[in-house]
Amino acid sequence: MPEGHTIHRLARLHQRRFRNQQVAVSSPQGRFAEEADELDGQVFTKAEAWGKHLIHHYDSGAMVHVHLGLFGRFSDVKAPMPPPVGEVRMRIEGDTHGGDLRGPTACELFTEEDLDALVSRLGPDPLRADAEPERALRRISRSTRAVGALLMDQKVIAGIGNVYRAEVLFRAGVNPMREGKALGERDFNAIWDDLVDLMALGVRKGKIITIRPEDDHGPGGPRGRPRNYVYRRRGQPCRVCGNTILGEVMEGRNLFWCPSCQPD
DNA sequence: GCCTTATGTTCAC
DNA sequence: TGAACCTAAGGCT
């Protein structure tokens, strides 16, 4: 599930697996072969995440930029790794573990300038301690675009995807159609603080959980441990009020909300 | 087994 | 606005 939490979890895992180790890098599929040759045998120094972007650092100063897109995955298996199966864009193997990267939107070498350009076009990331949420607030409060669209825009907030977008708006009781300039500081702060909590939980658990055990809705509330309130629940009853969840496509992405819990 | 769908982004028109 | 990218899971038969 590649929203920001997945990438931050991978960055932490790769730090643990490969940091300060000489690693073997290859591209069984071939599309990253030249670059992999250059990296092979270098010392892996750091992994970090910016929104949905993963950066690997090597002691030569080389960097690899990975974006999973919709389909990408990074496996984690014990060394020695078995022969690659299928289309593996990049294989990295350290002392105890290795990983195969499949189906990414991006897997490329990066320069310092590339990284600077990437970071400067991203909004604040709720999973980073150095995030400046006021940048996002400024942008939202100047915009006539719908809040539902703004939250999906990586230039506004980095790392949110379709699930967190729908769920955080539900939890804040904000209708996704509301204009950015009408959101207000109070609702923005509630959304931001909630994202910080929910996405950190997502990193810990490795999945998106927006109905926490402590979110008690009384009798008739969540049963059988559902993980989300509205995402992919069009036509089903709201877990809080029982009204029918709505769904429609906004800017090419499926959007879900409860019209009575999120009236405006 | 086959079909649909998907947590995302970029580019062409 | 739509297509392309190109993988895997789930629902269906």
Side-chain angles (χ1 to χ4, degrees), chain A residues 8-109:
Chain A
H8 280 264
R9 188 178 167 88
L10 275 178
R12 289 186 192 182
L13 178 71
H14 291 170
Q15 289 263 97
R16 209 161 65 233
R17 295 293 193 230
F18 307 128
R19 199 156 128 85
N20 297 330
Q21 290 174 32
Q22 195 175 19
V23 292
V25 183
S26 59
S27 177
Q29 174 201 50
R31 282 179 61 180
F32 190 63
E34 259 180 56
E35 297 91 332
D37 273 349
E38 182 189 323
L39 299 169
D40 190 34
Q42 286 194 32
V43 173
F44 186 103
T45 53
K46 187 170 89 169
E48 64 174 337
W50 291 90
K52 299 170 189 168
H53 302 262
L54 175 67
I55 310 290
H56 284 176
H57 295 261
Y58 290 87
D59 62 342
S60 69
M63 285 181 259
V64 177
H65 167 239
V66 172
H67 194 294
L68 295 180
L70 193 51
F71 308 131
R73 305 229 160 179
F74 222 130
S75 71
D76 177 47
V77 300
K78 281 192 174 154
M81 296 175 75
V85 178
E87 304 283 280
V88 176
R89 184 78 58 88
M90 177 172 72
R91 165 170 281 204
I92 178 169
E93 187 165 5
D95 299 340
T96 63
H97 291 74
D100 281 340
L101 172 65
R102 301 160 191 280
T105 290
C107 174
E108 59 194 350
L109 291 182

Side-chain angles (χ1 to χ4, degrees), chain A residues 106-172:
Chain A
C107 174
E108 59 194 350
L109 291 182
F110 244 29
T111 64
E112 283 293 342
E113 295 74 53
D114 293 329
L115 182 57
D116 288 346
L118 170 68
V119 169
S120 64
R121 73 176 163 80
L122 291 176
D125 176 348
L127 285 172
R128 289 189 64 101
D130 57 6
E132 298 170 337
E134 52 281 3
R135 282 173 56 213
L137 173 60
R138 265 199 303 277
R139 206 159 170 143
I140 290 171
S141 49
R142 272 193 272 112
S143 176
T144 57
R145 281 175 81 197
V147 172
L150 287 164
L151 289 189
M152 287 288 280
D153 186 339
Q154 302 299 299
K155 296 191 289 297
V156 177
I157 299 180
I160 303 192
N162 207 8
V163 182
Y164 282 121
R165 179 263 295 261
E167 295 293 312
V168 81
L169 285 172
F170 176 88
R171 289 169 56 93

